Amino acid sequence: MASAPRKPVSPYKRLRFRLEAVTLRAAAWLVSKCSRRFAQRLGRRLGSLAYALLPTLRRISLENLQVAFRGTMSREQKQRIARASLANVGATLLALFWSPRLAREQLDGFVDVTGLEHVRVLKAQGRPIIFITLHYGDWELLGLATGFYGIPITVVQEAMQNEALEEIFGRLRAVSGHRIVPGRFAATTLLKTLKRGGNIALLIDLNATPKRGGVWLDFFGLPVFGNAAVAALALHTGAAIVPGVAHPLPDGRCRIVYGPEIAYQATGDYDTDVRAINQQCLRFCEDVIRQQPEHWMWSYKRWKFLPEERRDGYPFYSRYWPM
């Protein structure tokens, strides 16, 4: 599927993009020469350093925690969770740089898995699957492992300003056989994949873009503007909706859990069904986060859009965008 041309960039940005790409390729090469456990440890330290040195990320994380937990946690608890969250993001991304060395025969040394048998039953029945997950735990290893288990997926990757970085991350995420498509133009590809009995994966804890449409959902008691794709695709294709979560374990390994499947039924009221199904999916995410909040990416601007011109309860970065 052809993508629209990107906006032209200034000479300064072109130079910056080249430097970013060279730096990332060098980092990926160096990390690939180390052990996966060393990459995780280094990533955690870099994430902790980011918490200490980057006040904007720190402030976003702490305000998001305030939105979610309000007065039920002390400031010290929120600071600990915010620091651990950035450490987890660092560990996950650096471990992704190590992924070209990952092979199926090594996977059992890094992963315990539950629920894979249900996924295999769905595939034996010829059912297409929409895998949903969130930026929690080792979400990158979750994607790679699913491919190594013999379940190839069409994966949506958010577009980046720097096309070279997008290409690097796409290549790393495809090492176990996945097809990577840019999020900006993925709708038709995803629909065709499911209609042919294939599988797709969506990260559903991201904001939707008002220009491209979405649906208001409840997340930790406040409306957020989310993508409607999971429900829309499921209703059009009859695909199963299967959550996948990679829970970190103390020894650097992770426990991957597939399911339980999110059941849904079309009532004939399309708009109501879209909202209800997507709300079920986001409620699953919230339940996972509440159990171990330090593993979610609190530095993301999840409450970016306001449903009306009032800020009550929203973080500093929220903006009203007339829909």
Side-chain angles (χ1 to χ4, degrees), residues 237-279:
T237 64
I241 303 173
V242 178
V245 182
H247 300 274
L249 297 173
D251 59 0
R253 301 168 73 247
C254 74
R255 179 171 55 90
I256 289 178
V257 179
Y258 295 102
E261 182 181 344
I262 292 179
Y264 65 92
Q265 188 170 4
T267 67
D269 185 334
Y270 180 78
D271 290 341
T272 299
D273 290 344
V274 165
R275 189 184 188 286
I277 294 168
N278 282 301
Q279 185 63 68

Short mmCIF file of all heavy atoms in Angstrom, two decimals, residues 237-279:
data_model
loop_
_atom_site.label_atom_id
_atom_site.label_comp_id
_atom_site.label_asym_id
_atom_site.label_seq_id
_atom_site.Cartn_x
_atom_site.Cartn_y
_atom_site.Cartn_z
N THR A 237 -14.90 -8.48 10.75
CA THR A 237 -14.28 -9.74 10.33
C THR A 237 -14.61 -10.93 11.22
O THR A 237 -14.34 -12.07 10.84
CB THR A 237 -12.74 -9.59 10.32
OG1 THR A 237 -12.28 -9.34 11.66
CG2 THR A 237 -12.30 -8.44 9.42
N GLY A 238 -15.18 -10.69 12.40
CA GLY A 238 -15.43 -11.78 13.34
C GLY A 238 -14.18 -12.31 14.00
O GLY A 238 -14.18 -13.42 14.58
N ALA A 239 -13.11 -11.55 13.97
CA ALA A 239 -11.83 -11.99 14.56
C ALA A 239 -11.94 -12.12 16.07
O ALA A 239 -12.71 -11.40 16.73
CB ALA A 239 -10.73 -11.00 14.21
N ALA A 240 -11.17 -13.05 16.63
CA ALA A 240 -11.06 -13.18 18.08
C ALA A 240 -10.15 -12.06 18.60
O ALA A 240 -9.18 -11.68 17.94
CB ALA A 240 -10.47 -14.53 18.45
N ILE A 241 -10.48 -11.53 19.78
CA ILE A 241 -9.64 -10.52 20.42
C ILE A 241 -8.92 -11.19 21.59
O ILE A 241 -9.56 -11.63 22.55
CB ILE A 241 -10.47 -9.33 20.93
CG1 ILE A 241 -11.26 -8.69 19.78
CG2 ILE A 241 -9.57 -8.29 21.59
CD1 ILE A 241 -12.24 -7.62 20.23
N VAL A 242 -7.60 -11.30 21.48
CA VAL A 242 -6.81 -12.02 22.48
C VAL A 242 -5.76 -11.09 23.07
O VAL A 242 -4.84 -10.66 22.36
CB VAL A 242 -6.13 -13.26 21.86
CG1 VAL A 242 -5.28 -13.97 22.91
CG2 VAL A 242 -7.17 -14.21 21.28
N PRO A 243 -5.85 -10.76 24.36
CA PRO A 243 -4.79 -9.97 24.98
C PRO A 243 -3.52 -10.79 25.15
O PRO A 243 -3.55 -12.02 25.29
CB PRO A 243 -5.38 -9.62 26.36
CG PRO A 243 -6.83 -9.94 26.28
CD PRO A 243 -6.96 -11.03 25.28
N GLY A 244 -2.39 -10.08 25.12
CA GLY A 244 -1.11 -10.69 25.44
C GLY A 244 -0.33 -9.74 26.33
O GLY A 244 -0.29 -8.53 26.07
N VAL A 245 0.24 -10.27 27.40
CA VAL A 245 0.99 -9.44 28.35
C VAL A 245 2.27 -10.17 28.72
O VAL A 245 2.26 -11.39 28.94
CB VAL A 245 0.17 -9.14 29.63
CG1 VAL A 245 0.96 -8.24 30.57
CG2 VAL A 245 -1.17 -8.49 29.28
N ALA A 246 3.38 -9.41 28.79
CA ALA A 246 4.67 -9.98 29.18
C ALA A 246 5.04 -9.44 30.56
O ALA A 246 5.53 -8.32 30.68
CB ALA A 246 5.75 -9.63 28.16
N HIS A 247 4.78 -10.23 31.60
CA HIS A 247 5.04 -9.81 32.97
C HIS A 247 6.50 -10.07 33.33
O HIS A 247 6.97 -11.21 33.25
CB HIS A 247 4.15 -10.59 33.95
CG HIS A 247 2.68 -10.40 33.72
ND1 HIS A 247 1.97 -9.36 34.28
CD2 HIS A 247 1.79 -11.14 32.99
CE1 HIS A 247 0.71 -9.46 33.92
NE2 HIS A 247 0.56 -10.52 33.13
N PRO A 248 7.26 -9.05 33.73
CA PRO A 248 8.65 -9.27 34.10
C PRO A 248 8.78 -10.16 35.34
O PRO A 248 7.97 -10.09 36.27
CB PRO A 248 9.17 -7.86 34.41
CG PRO A 248 8.22 -6.94 33.73
CD PRO A 248 6.90 -7.63 33.80
N LEU A 249 9.80 -11.01 35.33
CA LEU A 249 10.12 -11.85 36.48
C LEU A 249 11.41 -11.34 37.12
O LEU A 249 12.23 -10.68 36.45
CB LEU A 249 10.28 -13.31 36.04
CG LEU A 249 9.01 -13.95 35.45
CD1 LEU A 249 9.33 -15.33 34.88
CD2 LEU A 249 7.90 -14.04 36.50
N PRO A 250 11.65 -11.63 38.39
CA PRO A 250 12.81 -11.07 39.09
C PRO A 250 14.16 -11.44 38.48
O PRO A 250 15.14 -10.71 38.64
CB PRO A 250 12.67 -11.66 40.51
CG PRO A 250 11.22 -11.99 40.65
CD PRO A 250 10.77 -12.40 39.29
N ASP A 251 14.23 -12.56 37.76
CA ASP A 251 15.52 -13.01 37.23
C ASP A 251 15.83 -12.47 35.84
O ASP A 251 16.76 -12.95 35.17
CB ASP A 251 15.57 -14.54 37.23
CG ASP A 251 14.46 -15.17 36.39
OD1 ASP A 251 13.65 -14.41 35.81
OD2 ASP A 251 14.40 -16.41 36.31
N GLY A 252 15.05 -11.49 35.37
CA GLY A 252 15.27 -10.94 34.04
C GLY A 252 14.48 -11.64 32.95
O GLY A 252 14.47 -11.18 31.80
N ARG A 253 13.83 -12.75 33.29
CA ARG A 253 12.97 -13.44 32.33
C ARG A 253 11.59 -12.78 32.36
O ARG A 253 11.37 -11.81 33.08
CB ARG A 253 12.89 -14.93 32.66
CG ARG A 253 14.25 -15.59 32.66
CD ARG A 253 14.23 -16.97 33.28
NE ARG A 253 13.57 -17.93 32.40
CZ ARG A 253 12.41 -18.53 32.65
NH1 ARG A 253 11.76 -18.26 33.78
NH2 ARG A 253 11.91 -19.38 31.80
N CYS A 254 10.64 -13.29 31.60
CA CYS A 254 9.28 -12.77 31.69
C CYS A 254 8.27 -13.90 31.53
O CYS A 254 8.59 -14.97 30.98
CB CYS A 254 9.03 -11.66 30.67
SG CYS A 254 8.85 -12.21 28.97
N ARG A 255 7.07 -13.66 32.04
CA ARG A 255 5.97 -14.63 31.93
C ARG A 255 4.96 -14.06 30.95
O ARG A 255 4.29 -13.07 31.24
CB ARG A 255 5.33 -14.87 33.30
CG ARG A 255 4.15 -15.84 33.29
CD ARG A 255 3.73 -16.18 34.71
NE ARG A 255 3.45 -14.99 35.48
CZ ARG A 255 2.24 -14.41 35.56
NH1 ARG A 255 1.21 -14.92 34.89
NH2 ARG A 255 2.07 -13.33 36.29
N ILE A 256 4.87 -14.69 29.79
CA ILE A 256 3.93 -14.25 28.76
C ILE A 256 2.60 -14.95 28.98
O ILE A 256 2.54 -16.18 29.10
CB ILE A 256 4.47 -14.53 27.35
CG1 ILE A 256 5.65 -13.59 27.05
CG2 ILE A 256 3.38 -14.40 26.31
CD1 ILE A 256 6.29 -13.82 25.70
N VAL A 257 1.55 -14.15 29.03
CA VAL A 257 0.20 -14.68 29.22
C VAL A 257 -0.66 -14.24 28.04
O VAL A 257 -0.82 -13.05 27.78
CB VAL A 257 -0.43 -14.17 30.53
CG1 VAL A 257 -1.85 -14.71 30.69
CG2 VAL A 257 0.43 -14.57 31.73
N TYR A 258 -1.23 -15.23 27.32
CA TYR A 258 -2.20 -14.95 26.27
C TYR A 258 -3.60 -15.20 26.84
O TYR A 258 -3.87 -16.25 27.42
CB TYR A 258 -1.98 -15.88 25.08
CG TYR A 258 -0.67 -15.69 24.36
CD1 TYR A 258 0.39 -16.57 24.56
CD2 TYR A 258 -0.49 -14.64 23.46
CE1 TYR A 258 1.59 -16.41 23.90
CE2 TYR A 258 0.71 -14.47 22.80
CZ TYR A 258 1.75 -15.36 23.02
OH TYR A 258 2.95 -15.20 22.36
N GLY A 259 -4.48 -14.22 26.64
CA GLY A 259 -5.85 -14.39 27.10
C GLY A 259 -6.06 -13.82 28.49
O GLY A 259 -5.15 -13.24 29.08
N PRO A 260 -7.28 -13.97 29.04
CA PRO A 260 -8.41 -14.64 28.39
C PRO A 260 -8.97 -13.84 27.22
O PRO A 260 -8.87 -12.61 27.20
CB PRO A 260 -9.44 -14.76 29.52
CG PRO A 260 -9.11 -13.62 30.43
CD PRO A 260 -7.62 -13.45 30.38
N GLU A 261 -9.53 -14.54 26.26
CA GLU A 261 -10.13 -13.90 25.09
C GLU A 261 -11.22 -12.93 25.53
O GLU A 261 -11.98 -13.20 26.47
CB GLU A 261 -10.71 -14.97 24.17
CG GLU A 261 -11.33 -14.44 22.90
CD GLU A 261 -11.91 -15.55 22.02
OE1 GLU A 261 -11.57 -16.74 22.24
OE2 GLU A 261 -12.72 -15.21 21.13
N ILE A 262 -11.27 -11.78 24.89
CA ILE A 262 -12.30 -10.79 25.20
C ILE A 262 -13.51 -11.07 24.32
O ILE A 262 -13.47 -10.89 23.10
CB ILE A 262 -11.77 -9.36 24.98
CG1 ILE A 262 -10.69 -9.07 26.04
CG2 ILE A 262 -12.89 -8.33 25.05
CD1 ILE A 262 -10.06 -7.71 25.95
N ALA A 263 -14.59 -11.55 24.96
CA ALA A 263 -15.79 -11.93 24.22
C ALA A 263 -16.59 -10.68 23.85
O ALA A 263 -16.63 -9.71 24.59
CB ALA A 263 -16.63 -12.86 25.08
N TYR A 264 -17.21 -10.73 22.69
CA TYR A 264 -18.05 -9.61 22.26
C TYR A 264 -19.18 -10.15 21.39
O TYR A 264 -19.10 -11.25 20.84
CB TYR A 264 -17.23 -8.57 21.50
CG TYR A 264 -16.65 -9.08 20.19
CD1 TYR A 264 -17.34 -8.94 18.98
CD2 TYR A 264 -15.41 -9.73 20.15
CE1 TYR A 264 -16.82 -9.41 17.80
CE2 TYR A 264 -14.88 -10.20 18.95
CZ TYR A 264 -15.59 -10.04 17.78
OH TYR A 264 -15.08 -10.51 16.60
N GLN A 265 -20.22 -9.35 21.26
CA GLN A 265 -21.35 -9.73 20.43
C GLN A 265 -21.93 -8.47 19.79
O GLN A 265 -22.15 -7.47 20.48
CB GLN A 265 -22.43 -10.44 21.26
CG GLN A 265 -23.55 -11.03 20.43
CD GLN A 265 -24.46 -11.92 21.26
OE1 GLN A 265 -24.28 -12.03 22.48
NE2 GLN A 265 -25.44 -12.55 20.64
N ALA A 266 -22.17 -8.52 18.49
CA ALA A 266 -22.74 -7.38 17.81
C ALA A 266 -24.22 -7.27 18.13
O ALA A 266 -24.96 -8.25 18.05
CB ALA A 266 -22.53 -7.51 16.30
N THR A 267 -24.65 -6.08 18.49
CA THR A 267 -26.07 -5.84 18.83
C THR A 267 -26.83 -5.21 17.69
O THR A 267 -28.05 -5.12 17.74
CB THR A 267 -26.17 -4.91 20.05
OG1 THR A 267 -25.70 -3.60 19.68
CG2 THR A 267 -25.36 -5.44 21.22
N GLY A 268 -26.10 -4.75 16.66
CA GLY A 268 -26.74 -4.03 15.57
C GLY A 268 -26.59 -2.53 15.67
O GLY A 268 -26.79 -1.80 14.70
N ASP A 269 -26.23 -2.04 16.86
CA ASP A 269 -25.95 -0.62 17.05
C ASP A 269 -24.44 -0.45 16.97
O ASP A 269 -23.72 -0.62 17.95
CB ASP A 269 -26.48 -0.16 18.41
CG ASP A 269 -26.33 1.34 18.62
OD1 ASP A 269 -25.44 1.95 18.00
OD2 ASP A 269 -27.10 1.91 19.43
N TYR A 270 -23.95 -0.12 15.77
CA TYR A 270 -22.51 -0.14 15.51
C TYR A 270 -21.74 0.78 16.44
O TYR A 270 -20.73 0.37 17.04
CB TYR A 270 -22.24 0.23 14.05
CG TYR A 270 -20.78 0.23 13.68
CD1 TYR A 270 -20.10 -0.96 13.44
CD2 TYR A 270 -20.07 1.43 13.58
CE1 TYR A 270 -18.75 -0.97 13.10
CE2 TYR A 270 -18.72 1.43 13.25
CZ TYR A 270 -18.07 0.23 13.01
OH TYR A 270 -16.74 0.23 12.70
N ASP A 271 -22.16 2.02 16.58
CA ASP A 271 -21.42 2.97 17.40
C ASP A 271 -21.36 2.52 18.86
O ASP A 271 -20.31 2.63 19.51
CB ASP A 271 -22.06 4.36 17.32
CG ASP A 271 -21.86 5.01 15.95
OD1 ASP A 271 -20.95 4.57 15.22
OD2 ASP A 271 -22.62 5.92 15.61
N THR A 272 -22.47 2.01 19.37
CA THR A 272 -22.49 1.53 20.75
C THR A 272 -21.57 0.32 20.92
O THR A 272 -20.83 0.20 21.91
CB THR A 272 -23.92 1.15 21.17
OG1 THR A 272 -24.75 2.32 21.09
CG2 THR A 272 -23.96 0.60 22.59
N ASP A 273 -21.60 -0.58 19.92
CA ASP A 273 -20.75 -1.77 19.99
C ASP A 273 -19.26 -1.39 19.95
O ASP A 273 -18.44 -1.96 20.68
CB ASP A 273 -21.06 -2.71 18.83
CG ASP A 273 -22.42 -3.39 18.98
OD1 ASP A 273 -22.97 -3.36 20.09
OD2 ASP A 273 -22.93 -3.92 17.98
N VAL A 274 -18.91 -0.44 19.09
CA VAL A 274 -17.51 -0.02 18.99
C VAL A 274 -17.03 0.51 20.33
O VAL A 274 -15.93 0.16 20.79
CB VAL A 274 -17.34 1.05 17.88
CG1 VAL A 274 -16.00 1.77 18.02
CG2 VAL A 274 -17.43 0.38 16.51
N ARG A 275 -17.83 1.35 20.95
CA ARG A 275 -17.41 1.91 22.23
C ARG A 275 -17.32 0.82 23.30
O ARG A 275 -16.36 0.76 24.07
CB ARG A 275 -18.35 3.02 22.69
CG ARG A 275 -17.80 3.75 23.90
CD ARG A 275 -18.75 4.80 24.46
NE ARG A 275 -18.07 5.57 25.49
CZ ARG A 275 -17.80 5.12 26.71
NH1 ARG A 275 -18.15 3.88 27.06
NH2 ARG A 275 -17.17 5.87 27.59
N ALA A 276 -18.31 -0.06 23.35
CA ALA A 276 -18.35 -1.10 24.40
C ALA A 276 -17.17 -2.06 24.28
O ALA A 276 -16.53 -2.41 25.28
CB ALA A 276 -19.67 -1.86 24.34
N ILE A 277 -16.86 -2.49 23.05
CA ILE A 277 -15.76 -3.45 22.86
C ILE A 277 -14.43 -2.81 23.19
O ILE A 277 -13.59 -3.40 23.89
CB ILE A 277 -15.78 -4.00 21.43
CG1 ILE A 277 -17.04 -4.84 21.20
CG2 ILE A 277 -14.54 -4.86 21.16
CD1 ILE A 277 -17.30 -5.18 19.74
N ASN A 278 -14.21 -1.60 22.69
CA ASN A 278 -12.95 -0.92 22.99
C ASN A 278 -12.82 -0.63 24.48
O ASN A 278 -11.70 -0.67 25.02
CB ASN A 278 -12.83 0.36 22.16
CG ASN A 278 -12.42 0.09 20.73
OD1 ASN A 278 -11.37 -0.48 20.47
ND2 ASN A 278 -13.26 0.47 19.79
N GLN A 279 -13.93 -0.34 25.14
CA GLN A 279 -13.87 -0.10 26.58
C GLN A 279 -13.49 -1.37 27.33
O GLN A 279 -12.70 -1.33 28.29
CB GLN A 279 -15.21 0.42 27.10
CG GLN A 279 -15.20 0.81 28.57
CD GLN A 279 -14.26 1.97 28.85
OE1 GLN A 279 -14.49 3.08 28.44
NE2 GLN A 279 -13.17 1.69 29.57
#
